[in-house]
Amino acid sequence: MSTNKGRVAVVTGATSGIGFEVAKRLCSDGYTVILNGLHDDKGEEKIKELADHGFTAEYSGFDVTNEEAVSSSIKAIGEKYGKIDVLVNNAGGLGGRSRFEEMTTEFYKKVMALNLDSVFYASRAAIPFLKKGEHPTIINYTSNAAWNAGGPGAGIYGTSKAGVHAITRALAKDLAEYGIRVNAVSPGTIDTPFHAQIKSTKPEVFASWANNIMLGRLGQPEDVSGVVSFLASKDASFITAETIQIGGGQALGI
Ligand code: NAD
C-alpha cells in the first residue's frame, strides 16, 4: 500500500458500478483518487463513504462528453497535484438501443461521444500531467461488443467500443516514448446499473446469461477492479497496448 502513497488516480464515471469499485480499490492500494461523475450529490455521498473507510478521495463533477469541461477539470486536477499517475477512462454505456434504419444522427453522436470522444478528451487533457507521473498509465474500457458488434440495437455501442480498442493501441504507440503505458480491460457481463433495464423488466433473462459463461456466473465489479489495480501497478510495467478480457471465458462461449 505505502508504495502508492502520493500517487494520483483519476477515475471517470466513478459514482456507481465498476467505476466506484475501481476508485475504492485504488484508494485501498494507497492512491489519492479523484472520482468523476455527473451528479454532485451522489459524488459527495461516495466521497463520504470512502472517507469513512479512512481513504483519501475527492470528487470532480463533469460530463465526459463536454470537451471544455473535461479539459478544464483534468487541468485543474493536474495543476493541484502537479501530476496525474493513473487515468481510468471508465465512463461509458449503451445510451439506449436503436436499430440502424430508425437511428437518429443525434443518438449515433451521443453514443460515440460517451464511449469514444470521452476517451480522447480526457486522455489528451491528461497527457501533460501523466508525463510528470510515476510509471504513468491510462486504462480504457472496451467490451465483447467491440468484437461481436453488440446485441440487438447496440450496434453503435459496439462500434464505439471497437474505436476504444483502436485508440488504446494508438495512444500506447504515441505515448510509449514518455513511458506512459496504455491498456484496456474488456469486461464480460458485469452485474451493475448498466443492465438496470433488463434486470428490472426481465430478471430471469438477465440471470440466464450466466448459462453462457464458462465459469457459470455473472461478473461483479470486484472482478474488474483487481485487474485495473494490477494494470496501474509497477507489476504491469512491461504491459502496454493490451486488452485484458474479464468475462469468465464468455468470449469463447461454453
Ligand atoms: P454503470 O452504468 O454502473 O456506470 C457508468 C458510469 O458512468 C455511471 O456512474 C454514470 O453516471 C457515468 N456516466 C455516464 N455518462 C457520463 C457522462 N456523460 N459523464 C460522466 N460520467 C458519466 O455501468 P458499468 O457497468 O459500471 O460501466 C463501466 C464501464 O464498463 C463502461 O465503460 C461500460 O461500457 C463498460 N462495460 C460494462 C459492462 C457490463 O456488463 N457492466 C460490460 C462491458 C463493458
Side-chain angles (χ1 to χ4, degrees), residues 168-208:
T168 298
R169 301 169 99 184
L171 280 164
K173 276 188 178 177
D174 197 46
L175 301 178
E177 70 177 278
Y178 308 112
I180 302 171
R181 298 178 300 104
V182 187
N183 293 292
V185 290
S186 178
T189 305
I190 311 294
D191 188 359
T192 69
F194 184 99
H195 301 288
Q197 199 198 353
I198 188 143
K199 263 184 94 169
S200 62
T201 55
K202 296 179 186 163
E204 66 294 343
V205 171
F206 181 67
S208 76

Side-chain angles (χ1 to χ4, degrees), residues 52 54 81 99 145 169 203 222 228:
D52 288 347
Y81 293 99
R99 296 186 65 180
R169 301 169 99 184
E222 296 82 355
V228 172

Side-chain angles (χ1 to χ4, degrees), residues 13 15-18 36 38 62-65 90-93 114 141-143 157 161 187-190 192-195:
T15 60
S16 76
I18 299 170
N36 154 257
L38 274 180
F62 58 90
D63 178 341
V64 293
T65 70
N90 165 87
L114 174 57
Y141 286 55
T142 176
S143 164
Y157 175 70
K161 289 296 190 183
T189 305
I190 311 294
T192 69
F194 184 99
H195 301 288

Side-chain angles (χ1 to χ4, degrees), residues 10-229:
V10 178
V11 185
T12 65
T15 60
S16 76
I18 299 170
F20 181 63
E21 202 55 43
V22 165
K24 202 158 72 175
R25 173 59 189 260
L26 295 179
C27 279
S28 84
D29 288 347
Y31 295 77
T32 295
V33 182
I34 293 85
L35 287 79
N36 154 257
L38 274 180
H39 308 291
D40 295 357
D41 48 346
K42 188 97 184 278
E44 296 311 330
E45 180 194 310
K46 292 296 178 183
I47 296 301
K48 188 175 177 315
E49 191 176 327
L50 294 171
D52 288 347
H53 283 87
F55 295 146
T56 311
E58 69 172 272
Y59 174 71
S60 175
F62 58 90
D63 178 341
V64 293
T65 70
N66 180 330
E67 180 176 4
E68 288 298 309
V70 175
S71 301
S72 60
S73 303
I74 300 263
K75 187 164 182 265
I77 294 164
E79 284 175 350
K80 174 171 178 183
Y81 293 99
K83 62 167 184 171
I84 292 172
D85 300 294
V86 181
L87 170 65
V88 184
N89 285 312
N90 165 87
L94 277 179
R97 290 182 188 267
S98 177
R99 296 186 65 180
F100 282 95
E101 191 175 2
E102 59 262 14
M103 191 181 295
T104 63
T105 305
E106 188 190 12
F107 178 81
Y108 167 85
K109 287 186 174 169
K110 186 181 85 170
V111 178
M112 292 299 282
L114 174 57
N115 293 296
L116 183 56
D117 298 5
S118 61
V119 173
F120 165 61
Y121 297 152
S123 302
R124 180 183 58 183
I127 290 167
F129 303 104
L130 287 163
K131 283 180 175 175
K132 298 176 187 166
E134 202 187 316
H135 60 94
T137 192
I138 299 174
I139 297 157
N140 297 327
Y141 286 55
T142 176
S143 164
N144 287 341
W147 279 265
N148 69 18
I156 285 305
Y157 175 70
T159 304
S160 66
K161 289 296 190 183
V164 174
H165 178 66
I167 202 173
T168 298
R169 301 169 99 184
L171 280 164
K173 276 188 178 177
D174 197 46
L175 301 178
E177 70 177 278
Y178 308 112
I180 302 171
R181 298 178 300 104
V182 187
N183 293 292
V185 290
S186 178
T189 305
I190 311 294
D191 188 359
T192 69
F194 184 99
H195 301 288
Q197 199 198 353
I198 188 143
K199 263 184 94 169
S200 62
T201 55
K202 296 179 186 163
E204 66 294 343
V205 171
F206 181 67
S208 76
W209 290 352
N211 301 330
N212 299 320
I213 298 174
M214 220 183 274
L215 292 182
R217 66 171 177 88
L218 300 173
Q220 295 300 321
E222 296 82 355
D223 293 318
V224 180
S225 59
V227 179
V228 172
S229 161

